[in-house]
Amino acid sequence: GGVYLAGPSGFFEAGVLWHNTVVVPKVEAAALVPMDPWADQSNIAKIMSSMDLGPERRSALKEANLQQGRYDLELIDRSEAILASLDGVDVDSGTAVEIGYGFARRLLIVGLRTDMRLSGDNEGSEVNLMIETCVRDSGGEIFRSVDEAIAYLAERLPLKPGSTEKYR
């Protein structure tokens, strides 16, 4: 198992850069296995760049979207924890589903919110109260620092296969 990297970062260039040059390397440096849904988006990207707008493209994307969604759920099934990006005015809808699915699968969920904007339902919450409940009741926390979030995961998860210690 590993850490599923939930969040919308693959949808925009700055997010891809942050994800690939900061988040994934830091997860690996902590001897954790990144379960990365953004590592292979080739079907969707290929369709969008090679097909003209119209019914054939729509049909191809419909199938590619389902394949991607099923792959992402399978990655969560093979994970021990979720590191969820909670940035944005509201938590990304796909990320919210991944958090709920992971919570139902009894995974540890750790939130990362680097966004300075207010997003909670009221002054008692940092983000949507359902998201926060799933994070906290899974044994996780919400962090403002990627390093703190990954350190929290690393303290609680088994090491990568092949390591000499079973647990940290």
Side-chain angles (χ1 to χ4, degrees), residues 41-49 61 64-65 68:
Q41 296 281 312
S42 58
N43 276 352
I44 293 171
K46 189 166 112 182
I47 292 165
M48 291 185 73
S49 66
L61 283 170
N65 291 341
Q68 187 66 49

Side-chain angles (χ1 to χ4, degrees), residues 77-91:
D77 288 340
R78 295 182 4 229
S79 298
E80 297 171 82
I82 293 175
L83 175 59
S85 170
L86 305 178
D87 288 336
V89 175
D90 195 21
V91 174

Side-chain angles (χ1 to χ4, degrees), residues 14-137:
V16 170
L17 186 64
W18 162 259
H19 183 82
N20 290 335
T21 64
V22 176
V23 177
V24 172
K26 285 179 182 273
V27 168
E28 291 172 336
L32 298 169
V33 179
M35 305 298 269
D36 186 359
W38 296 108
D40 183 10
Q41 296 281 312
S42 58
N43 276 352
I44 293 171
K46 189 166 112 182
I47 292 165
M48 291 185 73
S49 66
S50 68
M51 295 182 78
D52 292 332
L53 290 175
E56 288 178 26
R57 174 177 149 140
R58 186 173 20 262
S59 178
L61 283 170
K62 187 175 184 177
E63 184 57 35
N65 291 341
L66 286 173
Q67 289 174 357
Q68 187 66 49
R70 291 172 183 142
Y71 174 73
D72 294 354
L73 292 172
E74 180 187 315
L75 277 182
I76 295 170
D77 288 340
R78 295 182 4 229
S79 298
E80 297 171 82
I82 293 175
L83 175 59
S85 170
L86 305 178
D87 288 336
V89 175
D90 195 21
V91 174
D92 173 73
S93 58
T95 303
V97 169
E98 292 165 336
I99 289 168
Y101 184 75
F103 181 74
R105 305 272 304 158
R106 302 193 188 291
L107 302 184
L108 172 64
I109 303 163
V110 171
L112 174 62
R113 182 161 178 85
T114 64
D115 199 321
M116 69 175 77
R117 296 171 290 181
L118 300 176
S119 177
D121 292 311
N122 55 53
E123 65 269 22
S125 62
E126 293 182 63
V127 293
N128 172 282
L129 67 87
M130 289 303 297
I131 299 295
E132 196 158 332
T133 300
C134 288
V135 169
R136 298 203 189 282
D137 287 359

